[in-house]
Amino acid sequence: MRKLILFALLAVSSANATPWFDGAPEFADDASRELATALQAAHGGMAPMREADSLQFNFFTKTVGGPFPFYSFEAIDLETGNAYMEWPFWESKVGFSGDQLWSHQWPMPMPAGFFVRLTTSFITLPWQISADSANVGPVSTGTLPEDDTVYDTLRVTFDERSPTIPGTYYDIYVDPDTRLMRAIRFDINHPGMVANPTQPIGPNIHVFDEYKQIGGAMLPTFYFTYGSGSANGVETNAYHFAWNLSLDKPFDRSLLDAPEGAQADDVSLDWWGTGADPMGGRQ
């Protein structure tokens, strides 16, 4: 009986674990706090993430004029931030568990670490801004390519380099009517992606066009990109679609066991391990 009670308690604890991004961010002012609160509430609040065990989904990306699409399966442990990714076209696998990052049969010239939790960070940004390391605000306004709507924008930076952010900042465009995240603007300074991390490339803009409610959380499922290489920022150069999203599946920790022949991504680990980003966030 005592063992049964213990197993039951462990099961409840696992199903209601605190997400790694459920913390106490620093707000620039009251306006920033109010907009962040409205944004997160529009997406379902923190409760669905606290009740979830992992985020899992399939993902498809097609660059305009590119030679082939990218397709992946991704699973993220919401308690620890550990992540696993498969790219079936190349039978590639990637595993991330804090201080370990490996890839197997990785087909790209850029490091696998750049892609770890990248899509997750984009589609869960309304919750990521609650992390202890987040600096939220100030509030401003802005418009998007091919869209004259004036949006409230929320600047977000993080104290620490991590898979949560590919560059030095995010600007979240908040829909004036629904308060949903309509778009994000960001740069990239990962050393595996740029010649000089002190000279980020960007801005890049993701515009979210479809959402789906998963376990009480309103998650973006389709978005398109205006990249820094687009002419005047008005040509979309990539489309992205997520499906089979779930928040109620347990994270299979055995996926993080590196297969024979796996290679470590020291470039990404060294970059994330150096502490606060000198170009953004509190020091």
Side-chain angles (χ1 to χ4, degrees), residues 83-86 92-96 101-104 106 112-113 116:
Y84 173 79
M85 181 170 60
E86 290 181 1
S92 300
K93 300 177 181 179
V94 180
F96 171 66
L101 172 60
W102 57 263
S103 65
H104 185 253
W106 184 246
V116 166

Side-chain angles (χ1 to χ4, degrees), residues 73-96:
F73 164 75
E74 304 187 27
I76 299 86
D77 186 333
L78 294 178
E79 180 182 5
T80 63
N82 294 343
Y84 173 79
M85 181 170 60
E86 290 181 1
W87 285 23
F89 289 170
W90 295 275
E91 297 183 350
S92 300
K93 300 177 181 179
V94 180
F96 171 66

Side-chain angles (χ1 to χ4, degrees), residues 119-189:
T119 300
T120 294
S121 297
F122 293 152
I123 67 175
T124 65
L125 192 54
W127 296 275
Q128 302 274 354
I129 63 174
S130 289
D132 285 331
S133 62
N135 307 283
V136 183
V139 174
S140 187
T141 59
T143 58
L144 295 169
E146 303 178 293
D147 182 357
D148 294 331
T149 304
V150 177
Y151 295 91
D152 288 328
T153 63
L154 189 63
R155 171 60 61 100
V156 180
T157 62
F158 293 87
D159 288 345
E160 301 172 352
R161 299 185 185 120
S162 76
T164 296
I165 184 168
T168 64
Y169 73 90
Y170 287 115
D171 286 330
I172 304 177
Y173 290 70
V174 182
D175 189 283
D177 298 320
T178 66
R179 310 315 271 170
L180 291 171
M181 180 175 66
R182 177 69 172 114
I184 57 175
R185 184 175 181 263
F186 62 98
D187 63 1
I188 296 171
N189 74 337

